[in-house]
Amino acid sequence: MSSTGGHGLGRWTWGVPDEAHDFRGDRWYRRQALEQAVAAGHDVTAVVRSPQKLPSAQVRVVTADLASADPVALRVAIEGADAVLSGLGPRSRSEAGVASQGTGIIVSAMRAAGVRRLVVVSAAPIGTMPSPVRPEPAEHDSGDGFFIRHLVYPILKTALRHHYADLVQMEDILHASGLDWTVVRPPQLTDKPLTAAYRTAYGQNLRHGRVISRADVAHCMLRVLDQPETIKQTVGIAN
């Protein structure tokens, strides 16, 4: 997508599959990010499956399925941008894997286009899940309380194991990308309005941070573009 003001970047691209909404309802990231970016004066390019479903006509549209798109084709959307924002997530359990697959394609396209800044959405429990990059993560996140550690997350990691495994792989792709990435890790999402009064923490979750609105997550994704200290960082966020 592109920008002429607001957060101070020239152009940026928002990539998210049509009606994307993993099990946390991520289809709303697209609407919130686009509306907030346009309101702030950004020049936006949206990469979507179905452009007729876009909430705003004030954006440049590139039609592509980021689960299987050709990285070369995505250069049309990415070239000249200052940053790429991604809210990739599956529409159903059968589409588990779309976040890592799509992120790999985005990373390849960004390298080809010479664009370095990338902001993505993950999930709060991911920091304590093992991966090839983090084979022995901390057993508990220092920001999580007893209830979250011992009751909520064990249930979620079982119920959403395929989805979380996809996000773990997505984060590993970012670590190996060489790009200037930021991962935003929200807890349970709500449809409450934007407050811009949320809390954030680098490298950990937030104590008593059980919920956050999708509007505030979108706001945070835009805000970190002006915060170079968030590069190569995971950012916990909560009300």
Side-chain angles (χ1 to χ4, degrees):
M1 302 177 181
S2 329
S3 154
T4 56
H7 294 268
L9 291 175
R11 296 187 59 199
W12 54 276
T13 299
W14 170 257
V16 57
D18 176 55
E19 297 300 336
H21 67 277
D22 64 20
F23 307 110
R24 298 165 297 137
D26 283 354
R27 65 184 180 274
W28 296 106
Y29 289 135
R30 179 184 64 188
R31 188 189 73 184
Q32 292 293 341
L34 290 178
E35 290 180 353
Q36 290 180 38
V38 170
H42 291 277
D43 179 14
V44 177
T45 296
V47 180
V48 294
R49 288 178 181 174
S50 301
Q52 68 272 17
K53 296 182 179 180
L54 281 176
S56 171
Q58 297 175 285
V59 299
R60 186 168 72 101
V61 178
V62 173
T63 303
D65 182 351
L66 290 181
S68 59
D70 180 354
V72 176
L74 286 183
R75 288 183 61 175
V76 175
I78 292 175
E79 283 183 332
D82 291 297
V84 175
L85 278 69
S86 174
L88 283 168
R91 295 177 297 180
S92 66
R93 292 181 186 275
S94 64
E95 288 190 357
V98 69
S100 56
Q101 294 167 13
T103 299
I105 291 169
I106 290 170
V107 165
S108 295
M110 290 179 67
R111 287 171 173 165
V115 177
R116 295 194 52 80
R117 193 70 172 102
L118 174 61
V119 181
V120 307
V121 180
S122 185
I126 301 304
T128 56
M129 298 186 67
S131 75
V133 171
R134 283 194 327 270
E136 297 182 358
E139 183 179 3
H140 302 295
D141 188 295
S142 59
D144 294 332
F146 181 88
F147 178 76
I148 295 291
R149 291 179 179 181
H150 298 286
L151 181 61
V152 176
Y153 283 174
I155 294 173
L156 288 177
K157 287 178 180 180
T158 299
L160 302 180
R161 60 188 179 277
H162 298 300
H163 171 56
Y164 285 167
D166 184 26
L167 294 180
V168 168
Q169 186 176 355
M170 176 192 74
E171 292 196 15
D172 280 358
I173 290 171
L174 296 177
H175 279 274
S177 69
L179 299 178
D180 296 334
W181 52 266
T182 300
V183 174
V184 179
R185 290 178 176 165
Q188 180 180 349
L189 296 169
T190 74
D191 290 331
K192 291 184 178 180
L194 174 68
T195 69
Y198 49 85
R199 298 174 293 145
T200 59
Y202 296 159
Q204 67 178 63
N205 297 330
L206 279 300
R207 182 68 68 170
H208 307 300
R210 299 181 181 178
V211 298
I212 185 72
S213 72
R214 293 171 175 86
D216 278 335
V217 172
H219 184 274
C220 180
M221 294 178 74
L222 292 168
R223 190 180 72 173
V224 300
L225 296 176
D226 275 344
Q227 297 175 330
E229 65 272 19
T230 65
I231 291 175
K232 292 182 170 60
Q233 288 274 8
T234 58
V235 179
I237 180 174
N239 288 343

